[in-house]
Amino acid sequence: MPTIFFYGPELDKDKKKELIRSFTKKASELTGIDEASFVVYLKKSDPKDVGVGGELLEDRQKGQ
Amino acid sequence: MPTIFFYGPELDKDKKKELIRSFTKKASELTGIDEASFVVYLKKSDPKDVGVGGELLEDRQKGQ
Amino acid sequence: MPTIFFYGPELDKDKKKELIRSFTKKASELTGIDEASFVVYLKKSDPKDVGVGGELLEDRQKGQ
Amino acid sequence: MPTIFFYGPELDKDKKKELIRSFTKKASELTGIDEASFVVYLKKSDPKDVGVGGELLEDRQKGQ
Amino acid sequence: MPTIFFYGPELDKDKKKELIRSFTKKASELTGIDEASFVVYLKKSDPKDVGVGGELLEDRQKGQ
Amino acid sequence: MPTIFFYGPELDKDKKKELIRSFTKKASELTGIDEASFVVYLKKSDPKDVGVGGELLEDRQKGQ
């Protein structure tokens, strides 16, 4: 039943798989809940749609 | 004021309408809050971006 | 794998059960995904911690 | 460390920047936490994927 | 219909009111959507339940 | 800037620390983003407020 949301950059497929495997394994160990019950949502956050420190991330990354 | 988020597969328009109508009607009945106050967000979850039981859903669906 | 979040008022146990049963049944029908795969989170929203139309809900409910 | 999610319509870049700047500045003032610690996620909500008052927003906007 | 979630520290009532008023007013201006349609959820995040930079916030705040 | 939400059972402090440390370390490795930029929210989900497979989790756990 536990659910994990990851808001971050787009990843390639192998990295998605590793992130899901690693988060699920560790969370299962710590909670004692079976791995089969875990759902992980990867929510890609485009730098055009994220603000950090009051600035658009897209602009920060350009060094503006 | 209540707000519902649905993370699930993409649906066609008629199914979206029925899901929104049904969730809103039932939740309005149970809370006693007017239907007009309900907002439902349908957040499509692509199998490339969901992990279930430690595996990418896209891979599970292929029977891997 | 679908996940539903309900942000709304506290409900008594029978209403929680009916909301969960109803949302899960309808969403399972519309998506074709087995009921066993659905998780519903009821996230109680205290009127002290919700704003509607720019005002604290707690104050609106008092008729201020 | 505070995090803000904004579920609303798509905005042009200047409006995104102003929303991020304004939310961050005000929240920093009120919490006493440095602006650098704030993250704002702008989550565009397509009227095809939002229900208001039991209806698809896309349909309400057409005056149906 | 827009919805804002604020994950941050507990605030006193006057600060909650100002945060809600300010976020709603600015977001209404920028989106052109009536203030009455905005909902803001203040989700208090206890330092016992937040991690920053890999550490529990509660521990960081103690200077550990 | 990445943000992780964990909806699951309450954990003791040492387990919270290990979960935060492990998720942050792995996500930092995979994204190439500095650990200092990660925020993790642990959102405890009480079995009285979670539905699984159409039933209240509290009831499932009692074997009803």
Side-chain angles (χ1 to χ4, degrees), chain A residues 1-3 5 39 41, chain C residues 1-3 5 39 41:
Chain A
M1 150 240 117
T3 310
F5 286 81
V39 177
Y41 291 99
Chain C
M1 148 240 115
T3 310
F5 287 80
V39 176
Y41 292 98

Side-chain angles (χ1 to χ4, degrees), chain D:
Chain D
M1 145 241 117
T3 310
I4 298 165
F5 285 81
F6 178 76
Y7 295 90
E10 175 67 337
L11 296 170
D12 67 31
K13 187 173 171 180
D14 283 344
K15 290 183 173 178
K16 288 182 187 179
K17 289 170 73 167
E18 188 173 343
L19 191 146
I20 288 165
R21 206 182 307 121
S22 165
F23 278 22
T24 303
K25 188 169 178 298
K26 175 57 73 177
S28 170
E29 262 173 54
L30 291 170
T31 59
I33 295 170
D34 198 60
E35 291 198 13
S37 300
F38 283 81
V39 176
V40 181
Y41 291 99
L42 307 177
K43 310 298 281 181
K44 180 177 36 179
S45 297
D46 191 312
K48 292 179 199 299
D49 293 312
V50 181
V52 178
E55 282 181 289
L56 207 51
L57 183 57
E58 183 188 23
D59 289 346
R60 280 169 71 104
Q61 289 178 340
K62 282 186 209 146
Q64 291 188 336

Side-chain angles (χ1 to χ4, degrees), chain B residues 3 5 7 18 26 57, chain C residues 1 3 5 7 18 26 57:
Chain B
T3 309
F5 285 80
Y7 295 89
E18 189 174 342
K26 177 55 75 178
L57 183 57
Chain C
M1 148 240 115
T3 310
F5 287 80
Y7 295 89
E18 189 174 343
K26 177 55 74 177
L57 184 57

Side-chain angles (χ1 to χ4, degrees), chain B residues 1-9 11 15 18-19 22-24 26-27 29-31 33 38 45 50 52 57, chain C residues 1-9 11 15 18-19 22-24 26-27 29-31 33 38 45 50 52 57:
Chain B
M1 147 242 115
T3 309
I4 298 165
F5 285 80
F6 177 76
Y7 295 89
L11 297 169
K15 290 184 173 178
E18 189 174 342
L19 191 147
S22 167
F23 278 21
T24 303
K26 177 55 75 178
E29 263 173 52
L30 290 171
T31 58
I33 295 171
F38 282 80
S45 297
V50 181
V52 178
L57 183 57
Chain C
M1 148 240 115
T3 310
I4 299 166
F5 287 80
F6 178 75
Y7 295 89
L11 296 169
K15 290 185 173 177
E18 189 174 343
L19 191 147
S22 166
F23 278 22
T24 303
K26 177 55 74 177
E29 262 174 53
L30 291 171
T31 58
I33 295 170
F38 282 81
S45 296
V50 181
V52 178
L57 184 57

Side-chain angles (χ1 to χ4, degrees), chain C residues 49, chain D residues 30-31, chain E residues 6 8-12 16 42-46:
Chain C
D49 292 312
Chain D
L30 291 170
T31 59
Chain E
F6 178 75
E10 176 67 337
L11 296 170
D12 67 32
K16 286 182 187 179
L42 305 177
K43 310 298 279 182
K44 180 177 36 181
S45 298
D46 191 310

Side-chain angles (χ1 to χ4, degrees), chain C residues 12-44:
Chain C
D12 66 32
K13 186 172 170 180
D14 283 344
K15 290 185 173 177
K16 286 182 187 179
K17 288 169 74 166
E18 189 174 343
L19 191 147
I20 288 166
R21 205 181 308 118
S22 166
F23 278 22
T24 303
K25 187 169 179 296
K26 177 55 74 177
S28 170
E29 262 174 53
L30 291 171
T31 58
I33 295 170
D34 198 59
E35 291 198 14
S37 300
F38 282 81
V39 176
V40 181
Y41 292 98
L42 306 177
K43 310 298 280 181
K44 180 177 37 178

